[in-house]
Amino acid sequence: MSTAPIPVSPEGVPGAVLDPSRIAAEDLTYPGAGGTAINAYLAYPAAHAGARPSAHAPGSLPGMIVIHEAGGLGEHIRDVTRRFANIGYLALGVDLYTREGGPPPTGDLPAIMERLFAMPDERVLGDLEGAADLLRARPEHSGRTGCIGFCMGGRFALLFACCSARLDATVDCWGGFIDRSTPEEISTPTRPTPPIELVANLACPLMAAIGAEDHNPSPQIGEELRERLAATPHETYVDVYDGASHAFFADYRPSYRPEPAAVLWGRVVPFLARHLQGSPRAAAAEPAQTADADSSVRRT
């Protein structure tokens, strides 16, 4: 484990961490698929540093897995992880490029695409399940765990929610290639089933965010996703954001759009709080919501 000084968030970003003393954070590793040590960044409220809740009672912090975009577990994703810690989560930013030694060179799109298409879905799912298990084993953990992913991470968040029972709520932010494996192929050995085809197996409430000007995923793919989600028993949303394209929450990129990003954060926070705050027993006692009542498209 290692720690480093915690910076403030970039000025004006949604959920900005303005008082770093509120947050404790550390780099660590955990066992992923096949027992491989996966790099990660853990952040949580500083008030919980060193705390040891009773072995007979759960902790008070819900877990939150943050899955990076194609650029890897960089400073932006670390800052997003700290933003969740700042509002009361035990947040873990995972490094799915651990085995490769980090992300491909910035700006080398062919190398990035080659890397993405070569990462086996089964291996990634093992790495994400390991992340959920790590959070669950922490004494601060409340018993509930959520997940949010951006770009390639959004795809993996959707896949995770449809292939595992470890999550209690999921947010898919513009997950690309949810309807096919590559631009040319529906299925490949490393990505055998597009996540959208697995939606019938969705295990938890889900929110998806799509830019109206995006092409991967496009609003049309979002509509197909919404229709499939409507057949599940969970609370689900597919939100389309006008004036935004891909990666509109990434405040370090030209694609950043402050107003849609603020609206997104304003929806994500209460959605996650609804499903992750409180006791797991209380959540199990809540009646299942009907798809007709709770599946919707919101245009922003």
Side-chain angles (χ1 to χ4, degrees):
M1 297 182 184
S2 64
T3 60
I6 296 175
V8 298
S9 298
E11 184 177 357
V13 300
V17 176
L18 302 179
D19 180 3
S21 69
R22 290 170 46 88
I23 307 298
E26 61 192 63
D27 290 288
L28 50 72
T29 63
Y30 68 89
T36 299
I38 302 300
N39 298 327
Y41 180 70
L42 182 71
Y44 47 94
H48 287 257
R52 290 292 177 264
S54 167
H56 303 291
S60 60
L61 301 181
M64 192 67 200
I65 298 169
V66 182
I67 312 177
H68 59 75
E69 56 200 352
L73 183 58
E75 182 50 39
H76 169 65
I77 296 299
R78 288 170 176 260
D79 183 61
V80 172
T81 302
R82 293 191 293 267
R83 295 184 214 178
F84 281 108
N86 198 43
I87 57 173
Y89 288 89
L90 181 66
L92 187 72
V94 297
D95 180 4
L96 297 180
Y97 291 147
T98 296
R99 294 172 182 82
E100 292 79 14
T106 302
D108 190 344
L109 185 59
I112 291 173
M113 292 295 101
E114 182 179 2
R115 173 73 56 79
L116 297 187
F117 299 147
M119 295 171 64
D121 282 349
E122 184 176 4
R123 188 187 80 186
V124 171
L125 285 171
D127 290 348
L128 295 176
E129 288 188 333
D133 291 344
L134 168 73
L135 292 175
R136 192 179 303 274
R138 298 277 301 196
E140 311 95 323
H141 190 256
S142 69
R144 292 188 188 180
T145 300
C147 179
I148 188 170
F150 303 89
C151 187
M152 64 166 262
R155 178 186 180 276
F156 287 135
L158 176 61
L159 184 70
F160 191 20
C162 294
C163 295
S164 175
R166 284 172 168 81
L167 296 177
D168 298 285
T170 301
V171 180
D172 164 11
C173 294
W174 42 92
F177 294 103
I178 64 170
D179 62 328
R180 59 194 306 111
S181 294
T182 72
E184 297 81 22
E185 300 171 286
I186 298 295
S187 175
T188 65
T190 56
R191 298 154 71 103
T193 307
I196 200 168
E197 296 183 9
L198 300 169
V199 165
N201 301 323
L202 182 70
C204 65
L206 181 135
M207 175 184 291
I210 295 174
E213 299 168 10
D214 201 351
H215 300 287
N216 184 26
S218 65
Q220 291 73 30
I221 294 173
E223 175 61 21
E224 180 182 351
L225 176 62
R226 185 206 68 80
E227 292 175 358
R228 291 176 182 254
L229 289 171
T232 74
H234 304 288
E235 178 186 354
T236 60
Y237 301 96
V238 177
D239 297 335
V240 178
Y241 292 78
D242 287 335
S245 186
H246 204 73
F248 66 83
F249 195 77
D251 51 71
Y252 70 104
R253 297 173 61 176
S255 57
Y256 178 57
R257 296 294 180 270
E259 292 185 6
V263 174
L264 172 64
W265 184 255
R267 288 176 173 169
V268 165
V269 171
F271 173 77
L272 293 175
R274 225 170 23 250
H275 298 289
L276 301 180
Q277 302 289 349
S279 70
R281 180 177 298 178
E286 293 172 1
Q289 301 295 321
T290 63
D292 288 343
D294 291 302
S295 294
S296 67
V297 173
R298 296 177 293 194
R299 190 94 185 193
T300 302

Short mmCIF file of all heavy atoms in Angstrom, two decimals, residues 56-119:
data_model
loop_
_atom_site.label_atom_id
_atom_site.label_comp_id
_atom_site.label_asym_id
_atom_site.label_seq_id
_atom_site.Cartn_x
_atom_site.Cartn_y
_atom_site.Cartn_z
N HIS A 56 -19.58 -7.93 14.71
CA HIS A 56 -20.96 -8.40 14.73
C HIS A 56 -21.91 -7.46 14.00
O HIS A 56 -23.11 -7.70 13.96
CB HIS A 56 -21.43 -8.58 16.17
CG HIS A 56 -20.56 -9.52 16.96
ND1 HIS A 56 -20.52 -10.87 16.71
CD2 HIS A 56 -19.68 -9.28 17.97
CE1 HIS A 56 -19.66 -11.44 17.54
NE2 HIS A 56 -19.14 -10.51 18.32
N ALA A 57 -21.38 -6.37 13.44
CA ALA A 57 -22.23 -5.41 12.75
C ALA A 57 -21.49 -4.88 11.53
O ALA A 57 -20.27 -4.72 11.55
CB ALA A 57 -22.60 -4.25 13.68
N PRO A 58 -22.21 -4.62 10.44
CA PRO A 58 -21.55 -4.09 9.25
C PRO A 58 -21.10 -2.66 9.43
O PRO A 58 -21.57 -1.95 10.32
CB PRO A 58 -22.65 -4.18 8.18
CG PRO A 58 -23.93 -4.08 8.95
CD PRO A 58 -23.65 -4.77 10.26
N GLY A 59 -20.17 -2.24 8.60
CA GLY A 59 -19.75 -0.86 8.60
C GLY A 59 -20.83 0.03 8.00
O GLY A 59 -21.91 -0.43 7.64
N SER A 60 -20.53 1.30 7.84
CA SER A 60 -21.54 2.25 7.38
C SER A 60 -21.31 2.74 5.97
O SER A 60 -22.12 3.52 5.46
CB SER A 60 -21.58 3.45 8.33
OG SER A 60 -20.31 4.10 8.36
N LEU A 61 -20.23 2.31 5.31
CA LEU A 61 -19.91 2.84 3.99
C LEU A 61 -20.29 1.87 2.88
O LEU A 61 -19.74 0.77 2.82
CB LEU A 61 -18.42 3.15 3.89
CG LEU A 61 -17.83 4.15 4.87
CD1 LEU A 61 -16.34 4.34 4.59
CD2 LEU A 61 -18.56 5.48 4.80
N PRO A 62 -21.19 2.25 1.99
CA PRO A 62 -21.42 1.40 0.83
C PRO A 62 -20.20 1.43 -0.09
O PRO A 62 -19.46 2.42 -0.14
CB PRO A 62 -22.64 2.04 0.16
CG PRO A 62 -22.72 3.42 0.68
CD PRO A 62 -22.05 3.43 2.02
N GLY A 63 -19.98 0.35 -0.80
CA GLY A 63 -18.85 0.29 -1.72
C GLY A 63 -19.20 0.87 -3.08
O GLY A 63 -20.35 0.86 -3.50
N MET A 64 -18.20 1.39 -3.76
CA MET A 64 -18.40 1.94 -5.10
C MET A 64 -17.18 1.60 -5.96
O MET A 64 -16.06 2.01 -5.66
CB MET A 64 -18.58 3.46 -5.03
CG MET A 64 -19.06 4.07 -6.32
SD MET A 64 -20.74 3.53 -6.67
CE MET A 64 -20.82 3.87 -8.43
N ILE A 65 -17.39 0.81 -7.01
CA ILE A 65 -16.32 0.46 -7.94
C ILE A 65 -16.36 1.46 -9.10
O ILE A 65 -17.41 1.68 -9.71
CB ILE A 65 -16.50 -0.97 -8.48
CG1 ILE A 65 -16.43 -1.98 -7.31
CG2 ILE A 65 -15.44 -1.30 -9.53
CD1 ILE A 65 -16.85 -3.38 -7.71
N VAL A 66 -15.22 2.07 -9.40
CA VAL A 66 -15.11 3.05 -10.49
C VAL A 66 -14.24 2.43 -11.58
O VAL A 66 -13.07 2.12 -11.34
CB VAL A 66 -14.51 4.38 -9.99
CG1 VAL A 66 -14.46 5.40 -11.13
CG2 VAL A 66 -15.33 4.93 -8.81
N ILE A 67 -14.83 2.26 -12.78
CA ILE A 67 -14.11 1.63 -13.88
C ILE A 67 -13.68 2.70 -14.88
O ILE A 67 -14.51 3.46 -15.39
CB ILE A 67 -14.97 0.58 -14.59
CG1 ILE A 67 -15.64 -0.36 -13.57
CG2 ILE A 67 -14.11 -0.24 -15.56
CD1 ILE A 67 -16.56 -1.38 -14.21
N HIS A 68 -12.41 2.71 -15.18
CA HIS A 68 -11.84 3.77 -16.00
C HIS A 68 -12.23 3.68 -17.47
O HIS A 68 -12.68 2.65 -17.96
CB HIS A 68 -10.31 3.77 -15.86
CG HIS A 68 -9.66 2.47 -16.27
ND1 HIS A 68 -9.50 2.09 -17.58
CD2 HIS A 68 -9.10 1.48 -15.52
CE1 HIS A 68 -8.87 0.92 -17.63
NE2 HIS A 68 -8.63 0.53 -16.39
N GLU A 69 -12.02 4.78 -18.14
CA GLU A 69 -12.17 4.86 -19.58
C GLU A 69 -10.93 4.29 -20.25
O GLU A 69 -10.05 3.73 -19.58
CB GLU A 69 -12.37 6.34 -19.96
CG GLU A 69 -11.24 7.22 -19.46
CD GLU A 69 -11.62 8.68 -19.38
OE1 GLU A 69 -12.71 9.06 -19.85
OE2 GLU A 69 -10.81 9.46 -18.87
N ALA A 70 -10.84 4.44 -21.58
CA ALA A 70 -9.72 3.86 -22.33
C ALA A 70 -8.38 4.42 -21.90
O ALA A 70 -7.34 3.77 -22.06
CB ALA A 70 -9.92 4.08 -23.83
N GLY A 71 -8.37 5.62 -21.30
CA GLY A 71 -7.13 6.23 -20.86
C GLY A 71 -6.57 5.66 -19.57
O GLY A 71 -5.48 6.06 -19.15
N GLY A 72 -7.28 4.73 -18.95
CA GLY A 72 -6.75 4.05 -17.78
C GLY A 72 -7.06 4.75 -16.47
O GLY A 72 -7.80 5.74 -16.41
N LEU A 73 -6.45 4.24 -15.40
CA LEU A 73 -6.66 4.77 -14.05
C LEU A 73 -5.76 5.99 -13.85
O LEU A 73 -4.80 5.98 -13.08
CB LEU A 73 -6.35 3.68 -13.01
CG LEU A 73 -6.57 4.03 -11.54
CD1 LEU A 73 -8.00 4.46 -11.27
CD2 LEU A 73 -6.18 2.85 -10.65
N GLY A 74 -6.11 7.06 -14.58
CA GLY A 74 -5.35 8.30 -14.50
C GLY A 74 -5.90 9.23 -13.44
O GLY A 74 -6.77 8.87 -12.64
N GLU A 75 -5.40 10.46 -13.42
CA GLU A 75 -5.77 11.40 -12.37
C GLU A 75 -7.25 11.74 -12.40
O GLU A 75 -7.87 11.95 -11.35
CB GLU A 75 -4.93 12.67 -12.47
CG GLU A 75 -5.20 13.69 -11.37
CD GLU A 75 -5.18 13.09 -9.96
OE1 GLU A 75 -4.33 12.21 -9.69
OE2 GLU A 75 -6.03 13.50 -9.14
N HIS A 76 -7.85 11.81 -13.59
CA HIS A 76 -9.28 12.12 -13.65
C HIS A 76 -10.09 11.04 -12.95
O HIS A 76 -10.98 11.35 -12.13
CB HIS A 76 -9.73 12.25 -15.10
CG HIS A 76 -11.23 12.31 -15.26
ND1 HIS A 76 -11.99 13.34 -14.76
CD2 HIS A 76 -12.10 11.43 -15.83
CE1 HIS A 76 -13.27 13.12 -15.03
NE2 HIS A 76 -13.36 11.97 -15.67
N ILE A 77 -9.83 9.77 -13.24
CA ILE A 77 -10.59 8.69 -12.62
C ILE A 77 -10.29 8.63 -11.12
O ILE A 77 -11.18 8.36 -10.30
CB ILE A 77 -10.29 7.35 -13.30
CG1 ILE A 77 -10.77 7.39 -14.76
CG2 ILE A 77 -10.96 6.20 -12.56
CD1 ILE A 77 -12.27 7.61 -14.92
N ARG A 78 -9.06 8.90 -10.73
CA ARG A 78 -8.75 8.96 -9.30
C ARG A 78 -9.55 10.07 -8.62
O ARG A 78 -10.05 9.92 -7.50
CB ARG A 78 -7.25 9.17 -9.09
CG ARG A 78 -6.42 7.92 -9.42
CD ARG A 78 -4.93 8.22 -9.44
NE ARG A 78 -4.17 7.01 -9.67
CZ ARG A 78 -3.55 6.30 -8.72
NH1 ARG A 78 -3.57 6.73 -7.46
NH2 ARG A 78 -2.90 5.19 -9.00
N ASP A 79 -9.67 11.21 -9.30
CA ASP A 79 -10.44 12.31 -8.73
C ASP A 79 -11.91 11.93 -8.62
O ASP A 79 -12.57 12.23 -7.61
CB ASP A 79 -10.28 13.56 -9.60
CG ASP A 79 -11.00 14.76 -9.00
OD1 ASP A 79 -10.65 15.16 -7.88
OD2 ASP A 79 -11.92 15.27 -9.65
N VAL A 80 -12.46 11.25 -9.64
CA VAL A 80 -13.85 10.80 -9.57
C VAL A 80 -14.02 9.82 -8.41
O VAL A 80 -15.02 9.87 -7.68
CB VAL A 80 -14.27 10.16 -10.91
CG1 VAL A 80 -15.66 9.51 -10.77
CG2 VAL A 80 -14.30 11.20 -12.02
N THR A 81 -13.05 8.95 -8.22
CA THR A 81 -13.10 8.02 -7.09
C THR A 81 -13.14 8.79 -5.78
O THR A 81 -13.92 8.46 -4.85
CB THR A 81 -11.87 7.09 -7.12
OG1 THR A 81 -11.84 6.39 -8.38
CG2 THR A 81 -11.91 6.07 -5.99
N ARG A 82 -12.33 9.85 -5.66
CA ARG A 82 -12.36 10.66 -4.43
C ARG A 82 -13.67 11.42 -4.27
O ARG A 82 -14.13 11.65 -3.15
CB ARG A 82 -11.17 11.63 -4.44
CG ARG A 82 -9.82 10.96 -4.33
CD ARG A 82 -8.71 11.96 -4.09
NE ARG A 82 -8.48 12.85 -5.21
CZ ARG A 82 -7.60 12.64 -6.17
NH1 ARG A 82 -6.84 11.54 -6.18
NH2 ARG A 82 -7.43 13.52 -7.15
N ARG A 83 -14.28 11.80 -5.38
CA ARG A 83 -15.58 12.48 -5.28
C ARG A 83 -16.62 11.57 -4.64
O ARG A 83 -17.47 12.03 -3.86
CB ARG A 83 -16.05 12.93 -6.67
CG ARG A 83 -15.18 13.99 -7.32
CD ARG A 83 -15.76 14.45 -8.65
NE ARG A 83 -14.70 14.79 -9.61
CZ ARG A 83 -14.92 15.18 -10.86
NH1 ARG A 83 -16.17 15.31 -11.30
NH2 ARG A 83 -13.91 15.45 -11.67
N PHE A 84 -16.58 10.29 -4.97
CA PHE A 84 -17.51 9.36 -4.33
C PHE A 84 -17.16 9.18 -2.86
O PHE A 84 -18.05 9.10 -2.00
CB PHE A 84 -17.53 8.02 -5.07
CG PHE A 84 -18.36 8.05 -6.31
CD1 PHE A 84 -17.78 8.04 -7.57
CD2 PHE A 84 -19.74 8.12 -6.23
CE1 PHE A 84 -18.55 8.08 -8.71
CE2 PHE A 84 -20.54 8.16 -7.37
CZ PHE A 84 -19.93 8.14 -8.62
N ALA A 85 -15.88 9.11 -2.53
CA ALA A 85 -15.47 9.03 -1.12
C ALA A 85 -15.96 10.25 -0.36
O ALA A 85 -16.37 10.14 0.81
CB ALA A 85 -13.95 8.90 -1.03
N ASN A 86 -15.95 11.38 -1.01
CA ASN A 86 -16.33 12.64 -0.36
C ASN A 86 -17.80 12.67 0.03
O ASN A 86 -18.20 13.44 0.91
CB ASN A 86 -16.01 13.80 -1.30
CG ASN A 86 -15.96 15.14 -0.59
OD1 ASN A 86 -15.39 15.26 0.50
ND2 ASN A 86 -16.55 16.16 -1.20
N ILE A 87 -18.63 11.85 -0.63
CA ILE A 87 -20.05 11.80 -0.29
C ILE A 87 -20.41 10.49 0.42
O ILE A 87 -21.57 10.08 0.45
CB ILE A 87 -20.95 12.01 -1.53
CG1 ILE A 87 -20.66 10.99 -2.63
CG2 ILE A 87 -20.80 13.43 -2.05
CD1 ILE A 87 -21.64 11.07 -3.80
N GLY A 88 -19.38 9.84 0.99
CA GLY A 88 -19.67 8.75 1.90
C GLY A 88 -19.54 7.34 1.39
O GLY A 88 -20.13 6.42 1.96
N TYR A 89 -18.74 7.16 0.34
CA TYR A 89 -18.56 5.81 -0.20
C TYR A 89 -17.14 5.30 0.06
O TYR A 89 -16.18 6.07 0.16
CB TYR A 89 -18.82 5.79 -1.71
CG TYR A 89 -20.28 5.95 -2.06
CD1 TYR A 89 -20.83 7.22 -2.24
CD2 TYR A 89 -21.11 4.85 -2.19
CE1 TYR A 89 -22.17 7.37 -2.54
CE2 TYR A 89 -22.46 4.99 -2.49
CZ TYR A 89 -22.98 6.25 -2.67
OH TYR A 89 -24.32 6.40 -2.96
N LEU A 90 -17.04 3.99 0.14
CA LEU A 90 -15.77 3.29 0.13
C LEU A 90 -15.50 3.00 -1.34
O LEU A 90 -16.04 2.05 -1.90
CB LEU A 90 -15.88 1.99 0.95
CG LEU A 90 -14.65 1.11 1.07
CD1 LEU A 90 -13.55 1.82 1.87
CD2 LEU A 90 -15.03 -0.21 1.74
N ALA A 91 -14.73 3.86 -1.99
CA ALA A 91 -14.64 3.87 -3.45
C ALA A 91 -13.33 3.27 -3.93
O ALA A 91 -12.26 3.60 -3.41
CB ALA A 91 -14.78 5.30 -3.97
N LEU A 92 -13.43 2.42 -4.94
CA LEU A 92 -12.26 1.72 -5.47
C LEU A 92 -12.16 1.93 -6.98
O LEU A 92 -13.00 1.46 -7.74
CB LEU A 92 -12.37 0.22 -5.17
CG LEU A 92 -11.14 -0.62 -5.52
CD1 LEU A 92 -10.00 -0.34 -4.53
CD2 LEU A 92 -11.48 -2.11 -5.53
N GLY A 93 -11.12 2.66 -7.40
CA GLY A 93 -10.82 2.79 -8.81
C GLY A 93 -9.93 1.62 -9.24
O GLY A 93 -8.84 1.45 -8.70
N VAL A 94 -10.40 0.82 -10.17
CA VAL A 94 -9.65 -0.37 -10.58
C VAL A 94 -8.79 -0.07 -11.81
O VAL A 94 -9.12 0.79 -12.63
CB VAL A 94 -10.60 -1.55 -10.88
CG1 VAL A 94 -11.36 -1.95 -9.64
CG2 VAL A 94 -11.59 -1.18 -12.00
N ASP A 95 -7.68 -0.79 -11.93
CA ASP A 95 -6.78 -0.65 -13.08
C ASP A 95 -6.85 -1.92 -13.91
O ASP A 95 -6.14 -2.89 -13.66
CB ASP A 95 -5.35 -0.40 -12.60
CG ASP A 95 -4.36 -0.24 -13.75
OD1 ASP A 95 -4.81 -0.25 -14.92
OD2 ASP A 95 -3.16 -0.12 -13.49
N LEU A 96 -7.72 -1.91 -14.92
CA LEU A 96 -7.89 -3.10 -15.76
C LEU A 96 -6.73 -3.29 -16.73
O LEU A 96 -6.69 -4.30 -17.44
CB LEU A 96 -9.21 -3.02 -16.52
CG LEU A 96 -10.46 -3.00 -15.63
CD1 LEU A 96 -11.72 -2.91 -16.49
CD2 LEU A 96 -10.52 -4.22 -14.72
N TYR A 97 -5.80 -2.34 -16.76
CA TYR A 97 -4.60 -2.47 -17.59
C TYR A 97 -3.39 -2.96 -16.78
O TYR A 97 -2.26 -2.88 -17.24
CB TYR A 97 -4.23 -1.12 -18.21
CG TYR A 97 -5.17 -0.60 -19.26
CD1 TYR A 97 -5.37 0.78 -19.39
CD2 TYR A 97 -5.84 -1.42 -20.15
CE1 TYR A 97 -6.20 1.30 -20.36
CE2 TYR A 97 -6.68 -0.91 -21.12
CZ TYR A 97 -6.86 0.45 -21.21
OH TYR A 97 -7.67 0.97 -22.19
N THR A 98 -3.64 -3.47 -15.59
CA THR A 98 -2.52 -3.87 -14.73
C THR A 98 -1.59 -4.85 -15.44
O THR A 98 -0.36 -4.70 -15.40
CB THR A 98 -3.04 -4.51 -13.43
OG1 THR A 98 -3.77 -3.53 -12.69
CG2 THR A 98 -1.89 -5.03 -12.58
N ARG A 99 -2.14 -5.86 -16.08
CA ARG A 99 -1.31 -6.89 -16.72
C ARG A 99 -0.47 -6.33 -17.86
O ARG A 99 0.61 -6.85 -18.16
CB ARG A 99 -2.20 -8.02 -17.24
CG ARG A 99 -2.90 -8.82 -16.15
CD ARG A 99 -3.89 -9.79 -16.76
NE ARG A 99 -4.62 -10.54 -15.75
CZ ARG A 99 -5.68 -10.07 -15.11
NH1 ARG A 99 -6.12 -8.83 -15.36
NH2 ARG A 99 -6.30 -10.82 -14.21
N GLU A 100 -0.99 -5.28 -18.50
CA GLU A 100 -0.27 -4.69 -19.64
C GLU A 100 0.69 -3.59 -19.20
O GLU A 100 1.38 -3.00 -20.05
CB GLU A 100 -1.26 -4.13 -20.66
CG GLU A 100 -2.10 -5.17 -21.38
CD GLU A 100 -3.27 -5.70 -20.55
OE1 GLU A 100 -3.59 -5.07 -19.51
OE2 GLU A 100 -3.86 -6.73 -20.93
N GLY A 101 0.70 -3.26 -17.92
CA GLY A 101 1.60 -2.23 -17.44
C GLY A 101 1.10 -0.82 -17.65
O GLY A 101 1.88 0.13 -17.59
N GLY A 102 -0.20 -0.66 -17.89
CA GLY A 102 -0.76 0.67 -18.08
C GLY A 102 -1.45 0.81 -19.42
O GLY A 102 -1.46 -0.12 -20.24
N PRO A 103 -2.04 1.98 -19.68
CA PRO A 103 -2.79 2.18 -20.91
C PRO A 103 -1.87 2.36 -22.12
O PRO A 103 -0.68 2.64 -21.97
CB PRO A 103 -3.56 3.48 -20.63
CG PRO A 103 -2.69 4.22 -19.67
CD PRO A 103 -2.08 3.17 -18.80
N PRO A 104 -2.41 2.20 -23.33
CA PRO A 104 -1.64 2.50 -24.54
C PRO A 104 -1.29 3.98 -24.59
O PRO A 104 -1.84 4.79 -23.84
CB PRO A 104 -2.61 2.12 -25.67
CG PRO A 104 -3.61 1.22 -25.04
CD PRO A 104 -3.75 1.69 -23.62
N PRO A 105 -0.37 4.36 -25.45
CA PRO A 105 0.01 5.77 -25.55
C PRO A 105 -1.19 6.67 -25.85
O PRO A 105 -2.04 6.34 -26.67
CB PRO A 105 1.02 5.78 -26.70
CG PRO A 105 1.56 4.39 -26.77
CD PRO A 105 0.41 3.51 -26.36
N THR A 106 -1.24 7.79 -25.17
CA THR A 106 -2.31 8.75 -25.41
C THR A 106 -2.31 9.22 -26.86
O THR A 106 -1.28 9.58 -27.40
CB THR A 106 -2.15 9.97 -24.49
OG1 THR A 106 -2.15 9.53 -23.13
CG2 THR A 106 -3.29 10.96 -24.70
N GLY A 107 -3.45 9.19 -27.49
CA GLY A 107 -3.56 9.64 -28.87
C GLY A 107 -3.35 8.56 -29.91
O GLY A 107 -3.59 8.79 -31.10
N ASP A 108 -2.91 7.37 -29.50
CA ASP A 108 -2.71 6.27 -30.44
C ASP A 108 -3.99 5.44 -30.49
O ASP A 108 -4.11 4.40 -29.83
CB ASP A 108 -1.52 5.42 -30.01
CG ASP A 108 -1.11 4.39 -31.06
OD1 ASP A 108 -1.91 4.13 -31.98
OD2 ASP A 108 0.02 3.86 -30.97
N LEU A 109 -4.97 5.91 -31.28
CA LEU A 109 -6.28 5.26 -31.30
C LEU A 109 -6.21 3.81 -31.76
O LEU A 109 -6.87 2.95 -31.17
CB LEU A 109 -7.24 6.06 -32.18
CG LEU A 109 -8.69 5.56 -32.21
CD1 LEU A 109 -9.28 5.56 -30.80
CD2 LEU A 109 -9.53 6.42 -33.16
N PRO A 110 -5.44 3.48 -32.82
CA PRO A 110 -5.36 2.06 -33.21
C PRO A 110 -4.86 1.16 -32.08
O PRO A 110 -5.38 0.06 -31.87
CB PRO A 110 -4.39 2.07 -34.39
CG PRO A 110 -4.53 3.44 -34.97
CD PRO A 110 -4.74 4.34 -33.78
N ALA A 111 -3.85 1.64 -31.33
CA ALA A 111 -3.33 0.84 -30.22
C ALA A 111 -4.37 0.69 -29.12
O ALA A 111 -4.51 -0.38 -28.51
CB ALA A 111 -2.06 1.47 -29.65
N ILE A 112 -5.13 1.75 -28.87
CA ILE A 112 -6.18 1.70 -27.85
C ILE A 112 -7.25 0.70 -28.24
O ILE A 112 -7.67 -0.15 -27.43
CB ILE A 112 -6.79 3.09 -27.63
CG1 ILE A 112 -5.77 4.02 -26.96
CG2 ILE A 112 -8.06 3.01 -26.79
CD1 ILE A 112 -6.21 5.46 -26.85
N MET A 113 -7.70 0.75 -29.50
CA MET A 113 -8.73 -0.18 -29.96
C MET A 113 -8.23 -1.62 -29.92
O MET A 113 -8.95 -2.53 -29.51
CB MET A 113 -9.18 0.19 -31.38
CG MET A 113 -9.94 1.50 -31.48
SD MET A 113 -11.53 1.47 -30.61
CE MET A 113 -11.13 2.35 -29.10
N GLU A 114 -7.00 -1.83 -30.34
CA GLU A 114 -6.44 -3.17 -30.31
C GLU A 114 -6.40 -3.71 -28.88
O GLU A 114 -6.73 -4.88 -28.64
CB GLU A 114 -5.03 -3.17 -30.91
CG GLU A 114 -4.37 -4.54 -30.96
CD GLU A 114 -2.98 -4.51 -31.58
OE1 GLU A 114 -2.51 -3.41 -31.94
OE2 GLU A 114 -2.37 -5.59 -31.69
N ARG A 115 -6.03 -2.87 -27.94
CA ARG A 115 -5.97 -3.27 -26.55
C ARG A 115 -7.37 -3.63 -26.03
O ARG A 115 -7.55 -4.67 -25.38
CB ARG A 115 -5.38 -2.14 -25.70
CG ARG A 115 -5.41 -2.36 -24.19
CD ARG A 115 -4.41 -3.38 -23.72
NE ARG A 115 -3.07 -3.03 -24.13
CZ ARG A 115 -2.30 -2.13 -23.52
NH1 ARG A 115 -2.75 -1.49 -22.46
NH2 ARG A 115 -1.08 -1.89 -23.96
N LEU A 116 -8.34 -2.80 -26.33
CA LEU A 116 -9.69 -3.03 -25.84
C LEU A 116 -10.25 -4.34 -26.36
O LEU A 116 -10.84 -5.14 -25.60
CB LEU A 116 -10.62 -1.89 -26.24
CG LEU A 116 -10.31 -0.50 -25.68
CD1 LEU A 116 -11.43 0.47 -26.03
CD2 LEU A 116 -10.13 -0.55 -24.18
N PHE A 117 -10.09 -4.58 -27.65
CA PHE A 117 -10.68 -5.77 -28.25
C PHE A 117 -9.97 -7.04 -27.83
O PHE A 117 -10.52 -8.14 -27.94
CB PHE A 117 -10.68 -5.65 -29.78
CG PHE A 117 -11.48 -4.48 -30.29
CD1 PHE A 117 -11.10 -3.79 -31.43
CD2 PHE A 117 -12.62 -4.05 -29.63
CE1 PHE A 117 -11.82 -2.71 -31.91
CE2 PHE A 117 -13.36 -2.96 -30.09
CZ PHE A 117 -12.96 -2.30 -31.24
N ALA A 118 -8.74 -6.91 -27.33
CA ALA A 118 -7.97 -8.09 -26.91
C ALA A 118 -8.22 -8.48 -25.46
O ALA A 118 -7.86 -9.58 -25.04
CB ALA A 118 -6.48 -7.84 -27.12
N MET A 119 -8.84 -7.59 -24.67
CA MET A 119 -9.08 -7.89 -23.25
C MET A 119 -10.27 -8.83 -23.13
O MET A 119 -11.40 -8.46 -23.47
CB MET A 119 -9.35 -6.59 -22.48
CG MET A 119 -8.17 -5.65 -22.43
SD MET A 119 -8.60 -4.03 -21.73
CE MET A 119 -9.06 -4.49 -20.04
#
